[in-house]
Amino acid sequence: MSQNEKPTIMDIARITGLSKGTVDRVLHNRGEVSKKSYAKVMAAIDELGYEPNLYASMLARGSARSVALLIPVHGRGSFWSVAVAGVEKAKEIVGPLGIDVEVFEYDQRDIASFRSTGQKMLESEPAGVVLAPMFGDETKLLIDNMKKRGIPYVFFDSKIEDDGYLAYFGLPEFKSGYLCGDQLTGGLPVDEVLVVRLQRDPLRQSDPTVNRRAGFKAYLEEHNPDCIVRSLFVDPDDPDRTDQELSAFFAAFPGTHHIAMFNSRIHLIVPWLERNPALARRVVGFDNLDANIAALRRGTVSTLIAQHPDEQVSLAVQALSEHIVFGKNPVRRDNYMHMDILTRYNAEYY
């Protein structure tokens, strides 16, 4: 065998004097093998540097497994569409381990949809789950079900503090909100701030940005304690209504010149702001969606705090796969990703 050739099962059989079938049973843990034969095979593996094809061996045993990604229904160019792009990248890495990824989608404005999709996901018997918590109490019930079934799970984008998650990949939520406060005010006195929020489910049980808001408020309490923070809820599917509510708000509070939005959809209020350019001095949002970047380049949005949800999903799938196949836990449980500050001057290089 030349230096460049990879050793095979036949090579191990030749060195040990055992049959190919016996070597195969040792490598794949199938059937009874004597201690003497087992020791011979292990010694040959060390000598030859044999690396088994895990994917092929798992498929041969019918044990290829699936990781589930639980995510909202999404349109092209949305935050979630960027996140799902991480699946293909992950598949290239975990496919050889016999891991597939199945995506389950729910309506993020409908708690019943989340519940039924979660149940469908559990019925598929995934080997692990990647999810971004949306409905807090309902997510906790789903997590309890996963724990009972012994299904490991990884959070991305945001997380629920509990003692069972394998890992988290995403921004440090509280600190990202704190950073938003700094970018919005620059540490200078600001009298009034508008926080634009999305209308989600009717009971507001879906609140994925709660920790970002907490960090934002902490910054203001520390650096600008007299600042008044007002909230305005807008319907992401009704731009005309959004325009009307913004007009009504600024008619009532014309002294508000600083606006923050903690989700990925600052672009929803951009059309109104561009028709009323004198009202907003600073506008800060999150995530480098195409519509957000375009508004940033035009100067309507002052700053974007960006992340890479595709990278988060890919790393989450990889961490789960290594845990499933090798029993390996991530080096760090909380894997905080970098917070990138984008302005009109550096956005084109991101």
Side-chain angles (χ1 to χ4, degrees), residues 106-107 109-118 135 138 201:
Y106 62 89
D107 182 350
R109 303 182 70 178
D110 183 358
I111 194 170
S113 173
F114 179 88
R115 187 182 300 125
S116 62
T117 304
F135 300 93
E138 201 64 34
D201 63 301

Side-chain angles (χ1 to χ4, degrees), residues 197-247:
R197 299 176 59 184
L198 294 183
Q199 293 177 7
R200 297 181 186 270
D201 63 301
L203 298 179
R204 296 183 185 173
Q205 295 184 53
S206 176
D207 192 4
T209 62
V210 59
N211 290 327
R212 287 183 187 173
R213 292 201 310 277
F216 179 77
K217 290 179 180 178
Y219 179 89
L220 292 182
E221 288 170 2
E222 182 178 341
H223 298 275
N224 218 329
D226 296 326
C227 180
I228 299 171
V229 180
R230 296 187 175 92
S231 296
L232 177 68
F233 286 84
V234 299
D235 186 338
D237 300 319
D238 192 342
D240 291 337
R241 181 68 182 273
T242 295
D243 286 355
Q244 294 169 12
E245 290 177 342
L246 285 167
S247 295

Side-chain angles (χ1 to χ4, degrees), residues 123-141:
E123 290 171 357
S124 75
E125 299 184 348
V129 174
V130 175
L131 73 161
M134 191 64 67
F135 300 93
D137 291 340
E138 201 64 34
T139 298
K140 290 176 183 176
L141 291 175

Side-chain angles (χ1 to χ4, degrees), residues 152-174:
Y153 55 97
V154 172
F155 293 130
F156 80 97
D157 182 54
S158 61
K159 65 176 179 174
I160 290 177
E161 292 296 344
D162 82 315
D163 59 359
Y165 66 94
L166 180 70
Y168 166 67
F169 293 89
L171 297 183
E173 297 176 87
F174 184 90

Side-chain angles (χ1 to χ4, degrees), residues 51-292:
E51 295 181 3
N53 186 331
L54 290 172
Y55 186 40
S57 64
M58 283 188 286
L59 288 180
R61 289 176 285 167
S63 59
R65 287 164 283 188
S66 178
V67 166
L69 173 63
L70 183 62
I71 201 167
V73 174
H74 51 275
R76 186 176 181 181
S78 69
F79 174 87
W80 303 110
S81 70
V82 177
V84 167
V87 170
E88 294 307 314
K89 180 180 179 182
K91 281 183 176 181
E92 293 179 4
I93 298 171
V94 305
L97 300 179
I99 299 291
D100 191 18
V101 183
E102 186 173 2
V103 179
F104 294 82
E105 298 180 354
Y106 62 89
D107 182 350
Q108 65 176 303
R109 303 182 70 178
D110 183 358
I111 194 170
S113 173
F114 179 88
R115 187 182 300 125
S116 62
T117 304
Q119 183 59 36
K120 180 181 177 182
M121 178 192 72
L122 292 177
E123 290 171 357
S124 75
E125 299 184 348
V129 174
V130 175
L131 73 161
M134 191 64 67
F135 300 93
D137 291 340
E138 201 64 34
T139 298
K140 290 176 183 176
L141 291 175
L142 179 62
I143 286 172
D144 287 342
N145 262 321
M146 289 192 286
K147 287 179 180 177
K148 290 175 184 176
R149 297 169 185 241
I151 300 173
Y153 55 97
V154 172
F155 293 130
F156 80 97
D157 182 54
S158 61
K159 65 176 179 174
I160 290 177
E161 292 296 344
D162 82 315
D163 59 359
Y165 66 94
L166 180 70
Y168 166 67
F169 293 89
L171 297 183
E173 297 176 87
F174 184 90
K175 287 187 177 179
S176 69
Y178 196 92
L179 175 63
C180 180
D182 176 76
Q183 291 299 302
L184 187 67
T185 67
L188 300 174
V190 172
D191 295 329
E192 302 174 15
V193 166
L194 169 62
V195 172
V196 181
R197 299 176 59 184
L198 294 183
Q199 293 177 7
R200 297 181 186 270
D201 63 301
L203 298 179
R204 296 183 185 173
Q205 295 184 53
S206 176
D207 192 4
T209 62
V210 59
N211 290 327
R212 287 183 187 173
R213 292 201 310 277
F216 179 77
K217 290 179 180 178
Y219 179 89
L220 292 182
E221 288 170 2
E222 182 178 341
H223 298 275
N224 218 329
D226 296 326
C227 180
I228 299 171
V229 180
R230 296 187 175 92
S231 296
L232 177 68
F233 286 84
V234 299
D235 186 338
D237 300 319
D238 192 342
D240 291 337
R241 181 68 182 273
T242 295
D243 286 355
Q244 294 169 12
E245 290 177 342
L246 285 167
S247 295
F249 177 89
F250 282 99
F253 306 105
T256 302
H257 301 291
H258 294 71
I259 304 172
M261 201 166 182
F262 299 112
N263 53 62
S264 63
R265 294 194 249 185
I266 192 70
H267 60 84
L268 293 177
I269 67 170
V270 165
W272 188 91
L273 290 175
E274 291 184 340
R275 291 194 298 271
N276 299 271
L279 290 175
R281 295 175 188 161
R282 293 285 297 173
V283 179
V284 177
F286 281 75
D287 300 315
N288 55 312
L289 305 188
D290 289 344
N292 292 348

